[in-house]
Amino acid sequence: MTTLSAIPIHAAQQAPVHGETARAGAPEPIIRVRDLVVGFGSKIVMKGLNLDIRRGEILGFVGPSGQGKSVLTRTILGLVPKRAGTIEVFGEDVDGLTVARRRQIEQRWGVLFQQGALFSALTVKQNIQMPMREHLNLSERLLDEFARLKIEMVGLKPDAADKLPSELSGGMIKRAALARSLALDPEILFLDEPTSGLDPIGAGEFDDLVATLKQTLGLTVFMVTHDLDSLYTACDRIAALGDGQIIAQGTIAEMLESDHPWLRSYFHGKRGRAVVPQGGRHAQA
Ligand SMILES: Nc1ncnc2c1ncn2[C@@H]1O[C@H](COP(=O)(O)OP(=O)(O)OP(=O)(O)O)[C@@H](O)[C@H]1O
């Protein structure tokens, strides 16, 4: 690593923010959702949901299809309006934020949406640099150096920098999109089904990468997933959504003990049973 690689973008570019708590001493949880109600027309998707995302954890978020996992993510990100309830991010109620403060907070999270979302006309390097250009005022030399670091961080070869998304495999696209979500050195990563579309080996490698990044960068990760392997190998805790509320949360061991019918069929059904013997790397976290 070069000396430059040790410089966090935050330190170089972002002035301390009023009321900011230092990263190491921040209060838990990093995100706190209370009594959340979200709906579209007459359809109510969140019915008084409560959830904490704790600093430094990988929280796997599961639940039947169409129950609102993506909607919750998008609501926390401010992309879907809520009807009631509170969302606190980094200890601040998002309802009270000024536009400028909101923008500062948005720089502290990275998002990897399910539909990849790399710009097809831009190279990997240009994709990664896009959030940096939008939020930071860096020289071209620093932009190139930071993009190079992000590419290295996600395990892509340096020559991926100048490739277009169409020249990459599915796994490489996921890694490039992850590199872009890390562009601003976020504290939280939101991953929406990050291993969907990957073969089991590629998915396992991606899970390992996320777990490694969590350790090395001190990230908090909120991961929407249907992937049982991810729950066993990467997640510290799991929260399950059902009928607009959290029906259970805890370690994989605790989820396995749940009597809830959906959780029983999810974890103890045919696919769940197939995964159990190979899992457990993080089961006792
Ligand atoms: N913009 C929208 N307008 C109307 N309804 C919406 C909108 N976004 C989501 N919904 C509805 O909200 C519900 C929850 O959708 P969501 O995509 O969050 O489910 P999910 O749990 O992530 O599903 P999956 O596991 O299949 O990805 C669905 O019934 C969906 O049709």
Side-chain angles (χ1 to χ4, degrees):
M1 286 231 188
T2 62
T3 312
L4 199 56
S5 68
I7 303 172
I9 293 181
H10 286 300
Q13 285 292 318
Q14 293 170 1
V17 175
H18 175 70
E20 180 105 319
T21 313
R23 189 181 278 217
E28 307 288 347
I30 198 165
I31 289 184
R32 189 169 182 270
V33 178
R34 288 293 177 275
D35 306 318
L36 182 70
V37 178
V38 180
F40 303 97
S42 60
K43 183 181 174 72
I44 307 300
V45 182
M46 300 289 139
K47 302 174 183 171
L49 180 138
N50 295 305
L51 181 67
D52 287 346
I53 304 175
R54 300 176 188 161
R55 186 176 287 277
E57 73 175 351
I58 300 182
L59 180 64
F61 194 47
V62 299
S65 209
Q67 286 288 307
K69 299 182 293 298
S70 298
V71 166
L72 176 63
T73 310
R74 295 170 70 82
T75 307
I76 293 171
L77 295 173
L79 302 172
V80 170
K82 59 186 172 61
R83 292 191 180 168
T86 55
I87 298 174
E88 287 175 18
V89 182
F90 306 116
E92 287 187 66
D93 187 334
V94 294
D95 284 344
L97 299 177
T98 61
V99 172
R101 181 67 183 132
R102 166 115 216 146
R103 207 171 139 81
Q104 287 171 332
I105 282 190
E106 284 172 0
Q107 290 187 41
R108 295 169 67 182
W109 63 46
V111 186
L112 178 53
F113 282 118
Q114 199 175 341
Q115 305 305 338
L118 286 177
F119 292 100
S120 58
L122 301 183
T123 65
V124 168
K125 181 174 86 174
Q126 289 167 334
N127 265 286
I128 296 168
Q129 289 175 340
M130 190 164 240
M132 299 178 189
R133 288 185 194 278
E134 190 185 335
H135 288 278
L136 310 173
N137 183 21
L138 297 173
S139 67
E140 288 299 317
R141 190 181 72 81
L142 273 178
L143 282 169
D144 284 350
E145 178 62 7
F146 282 131
R148 187 189 68 71
L149 283 168
K150 303 300 171 190
I151 286 167
E152 183 183 311
M153 209 179 259
V154 298
L156 286 173
K157 292 194 182 129
D159 68 358
D162 297 316
K163 292 203 159 99
L164 291 168
S166 58
E167 298 174 282
L168 304 178
S169 70
M172 290 165 81
I173 287 176
K174 296 272 187 192
R175 283 172 190 260
L178 183 63
R180 193 180 60 184
S181 71
L182 294 170
L184 300 176
D185 290 345
E187 290 165 61
I188 316 178
L189 263 187
F190 291 90
L191 308 177
D192 196 351
E193 300 197 30
T195 58
S196 72
L198 297 182
D199 64 63
I201 293 172
E205 288 173 352
F206 195 89
D207 283 339
D208 289 345
L209 172 62
V210 171
T212 302
L213 290 174
K214 180 205 108 164
Q215 288 294 342
T216 54
L217 303 178
L219 284 171
T220 303
V221 181
F222 181 72
M223 184 195 299
V224 174
T225 186
H226 287 289
D227 189 333
L228 279 157
D229 282 307
S230 300
L231 299 177
Y232 277 97
T233 62
C235 295
D236 300 302
R237 266 191 338 127
I238 296 160
L241 178 66
D243 196 25
Q245 298 194 328
I246 300 299
I247 53 176
Q249 56 184 310
T251 62
I252 187 91
E254 288 165 337
M255 301 302 271
L256 287 169
E257 284 169 14
S258 170
D259 286 332
H260 190 282
W262 184 82
L263 288 170
R264 286 208 70 73
S265 70
Y266 185 66
F267 286 107
H268 299 284
K270 198 171 162 192
R271 287 195 58 225
R273 287 199 307 273
V275 169
V276 174
Q278 301 151 30
R281 257 198 290 158
H282 295 247
Q284 304 308 317

